[in-house]
Amino acid sequence: EEKEEETCSFTVPNYACQRRTQLHHHNPSLSDALTLLAENAELNEDDGRAVAFRRAAAVLKALPAEVTSVSQLKGLPCLGEHSLRVIKDVLKDGSCSEVETTKHSQRFNALKVLTGIFGVGVKTADRWIRDGIFNLQQLRESQTTLNRAQQAGLDHYEDLNQPVTRADADSITEIVQEAVSSLFPGAQVTLTGGFRRGKMTGHDVDFLLTHPEEGREEGLMDKVVSWLDSQGLLLYQKTSRNSYLESRDGPGRPSSNMDRFERCFAIFKLSRGQTSPPAGHQWRAVRVDLVVTPISQFAFALLGWTGSKLFERELRRWAGHEKAMSLSSHALFDKTQKRYLRASSEEEIFTHLGLSFIPPSQRNA
Ligand code: DGT
Ligand code: MG
């Protein structure tokens, strides 16, 4: 019998890009449960379900206090029947059977391990599982042909699945900064991704490179990558113009936010002194993404590469559904006026979109 609780209900706006979401919030056990189900849906290519769980998790992250009763959630957006059931279970028992079953299922764990290999997406992982490959040892022992990215991913699996620390990110920033300023005086290096949002660890380090004079960024990537390579700092690199080919989504899977920047997926070799390698090792491998953008697109690229992924998705949904605009990491197009809207800062983009500015540290939806 549920006693009528003192209902302090919450209100939260509909879109994650209308909300301030700090890294640390009041409902981690609820958001973790929903995030695990989102991850499972992503691993099974059920994007609709994945986004529904991600949105629900994001609403809980934005609440100003801990939820103690489902009654407090009445009227909140993005909380479907399924998500509410999960929340109810966790509030009542501290866990949810669907989450626990998923967490311990062979398929979920195999998909996690295999897609945890750089260069391996869900399609490849699923095919391997159907061939009876569930873990790294079975993959190594099988006759499976790996592409260059996957081979590097497998070779450096341990390191690449160790969180990258803020100190690692800072020391890589210094290296990239040094390379860029000696090769291309005036060019600028900006740390983006999770570290720009204030995260203390990440799965990779993301950089945007640009030059304040339009066009002068051309040739920057090749020079920087050659220099890094000549210094023995790269274990792997693949530079591409116009693709999303080896992102975490896996080879050949275009994404909705596919972009056309010159981009380098790299694995850096960080030595002792630049990082703290595992005991007994002289160095560690770290994933680094470099993206070059012309200055005219820089603000859009910065907004697009800072994340979180859900925040980005919600910005594009807001733009499309509420403003008849189309936002990408390159530009903002107003479909009513049939023209591109220029911006030289993130603040201007939020203004064009009719949104209050949300600083990077509050985009952790
Ligand atoms: P992490 O690295 O796991 O700690 O977390 P994040 O937030 O740094 O995520 P990450 O590194 O996968 O991506 C950073 C942001 O950049 C994220 O919001 C999504 C965005 N992003 C990633 N890949 C692409 C891409 O190919 N094109 C565009 N436009 N954005 C991308
Ligand atoms: Mg990142």
Side-chain angles (χ1 to χ4, degrees), residues 106-118:
Q106 187 190 33
R107 180 175 165 81
F108 175 75
N109 285 289
L111 283 168
K112 258 194 91 114
V113 168
L114 298 175
T115 58
I117 304 170
F118 170 63

Side-chain angles (χ1 to χ4, degrees), residues 39 109-120 136 139-140 149-165 168 201-204 248 267-268 278 284-287:
E39 209 180 343
N109 285 289
L111 283 168
K112 258 194 91 114
V113 168
L114 298 175
T115 58
I117 304 170
F118 170 63
V120 177
L136 301 185
L139 178 63
R140 289 196 171 105
Q150 295 164 346
Q151 189 59 58
L154 188 57
D155 291 345
H156 304 295
Y157 184 85
E158 304 291 334
D159 277 5
L160 299 184
N161 283 280
Q162 279 288 109
V164 181
T165 65
D168 292 336
T201 60
H203 97 281
D204 67 359
R248 278 201 294 182
I267 301 176
F268 272 45
R284 75 159 284 190
V286 179
R287 274 275 298 113

Side-chain angles (χ1 to χ4, degrees), residues 127-145:
R127 199 173 63 238
W128 289 348
I129 289 170
R130 278 186 274 119
D131 290 341
I133 297 169
F134 294 88
N135 57 44
L136 301 185
Q137 195 191 340
Q138 289 170 339
L139 178 63
R140 289 196 171 105
E141 286 166 358
S142 72
Q143 299 303 309
T144 309
T145 316

Side-chain angles (χ1 to χ4, degrees), residues 46-76:
D46 189 342
D47 288 344
R49 178 175 280 224
V51 175
F53 284 132
R54 294 256 176 226
R55 285 201 190 117
V59 165
L60 293 162
K61 292 181 197 174
L63 298 179
E66 189 181 347
V67 176
T68 51
S69 149
V70 276
S71 62
Q72 295 169 294
L73 303 176
K74 229 174 251 152
L76 288 183

